Amino acid sequence: FGDITMTSGQQSYIVVNNKMYFYKLVSSPPIIREVWVTDGTVNGTQLFLSSTTSPAFNNIALFTSFDNKLYFGAAPVGGSGFLLYRTENDLATLEEVKPANSTSTSTNPQNLTVCGDKLYFSATYDVTIGQETYSIDGLNPVIWTGNTSTNWFDITNWEPQQIPGELDNIKIPAGRPNY
């Protein structure tokens, strides 16, 4: 991969949408990893995430491919806690994965496991309850409710409240108040 020296610190290779992601151990302790992405060519290999990129992360781990997205756990630089993230091959689609009602700043995701059409993981989204098992269904649609306006980019017009991405299963049923 060009100037990237593959060493014993190399861990966790995963392919998502015909691109391979891997992380390189930069230092330990503290655990600092750089995430690289490649299409298999020298020119197509580049730094994707690190403690110096924007957004910046430390302790990147738990690489999992699901529903054409890369899922991983990381600690945001300057933040607190270890959180679950996903992306669709670029930083523009990078988002934290959590229920809409969660106020937890350290979910400590663990055990990311794909089984059938679901991604299972354990995390702490409610500190009064503690660690629980969650699942993400790759077939669940993002449904237009039109409850607020005709604005496609208003999350309150969608269930769950998120702007759908190009790979999401989008449903726009009849009988909604706004289109």
Side-chain angles (χ1 to χ4, degrees), residues 132-175:
E132 293 184 284
T133 300
Y134 293 87
S135 68
I136 297 170
D137 188 338
L139 301 177
N140 277 349
V142 180
I143 302 169
W144 174 262
T145 64
N147 290 336
T148 305
S149 67
T150 61
N151 184 350
W152 180 275
F153 299 101
D154 182 342
I155 64 169
T156 62
N157 283 318
W158 296 97
E159 183 59 43
Q161 289 192 351
Q162 67 183 49
I163 298 169
E166 64 183 50
L167 298 176
D168 283 326
N169 178 12
I170 300 169
K171 301 287 183 193
I172 302 177

Side-chain angles (χ1 to χ4, degrees), residues 60-73:
I60 300 166
L62 303 174
F63 276 9
T64 305
S65 175
F66 177 68
D67 198 27
N68 295 315
K69 296 175 181 77
L70 171 67
Y71 286 78
F72 63 93

Side-chain angles (χ1 to χ4, degrees), residues 24 32 43 66 76 90 106-107 124 161 170 175:
K24 178 181 179 184
I32 298 177
N43 290 339
F66 177 68
D90 62 56
S106 181
T107 59
T124 304
Q161 289 192 351
I170 300 169

Side-chain angles (χ1 to χ4, degrees), residues 27-136:
S27 72
S28 180
I31 298 171
I32 298 177
R33 297 182 180 109
E34 295 176 334
V35 177
W36 291 78
V37 61
T38 185
D39 62 6
T41 66
V42 171
N43 290 339
T45 303
Q46 59 190 340
L47 182 64
F48 188 70
L49 290 171
S50 77
S51 60
T52 60
T53 58
S54 180
F57 294 100
N58 284 328
N59 198 18
I60 300 166
L62 303 174
F63 276 9
T64 305
S65 175
F66 177 68
D67 198 27
N68 295 315
K69 296 175 181 77
L70 171 67
Y71 286 78
F72 63 93
V77 171
S80 62
F82 188 71
L83 306 170
L84 183 61
Y85 294 90
R86 70 177 162 214
T87 183
E88 296 176 23
N89 282 345
D90 62 56
L91 295 179
T93 62
L94 182 69
E95 62 184 345
E96 183 183 347
V97 177
K98 68 178 185 177
N101 61 349
S102 173
T103 58
S104 180
T105 59
S106 181
T107 59
N108 194 27
Q110 298 174 17
N111 308 313
L112 278 68
T113 304
V114 176
C115 183
D117 293 329
K118 291 190 178 197
L119 170 65
Y120 294 90
F121 62 98
S122 57
T124 304
Y125 288 111
D126 183 336
V127 294
T128 61
I129 297 172
Q131 196 88 12
E132 293 184 284
T133 300
Y134 293 87
S135 68
I136 297 170

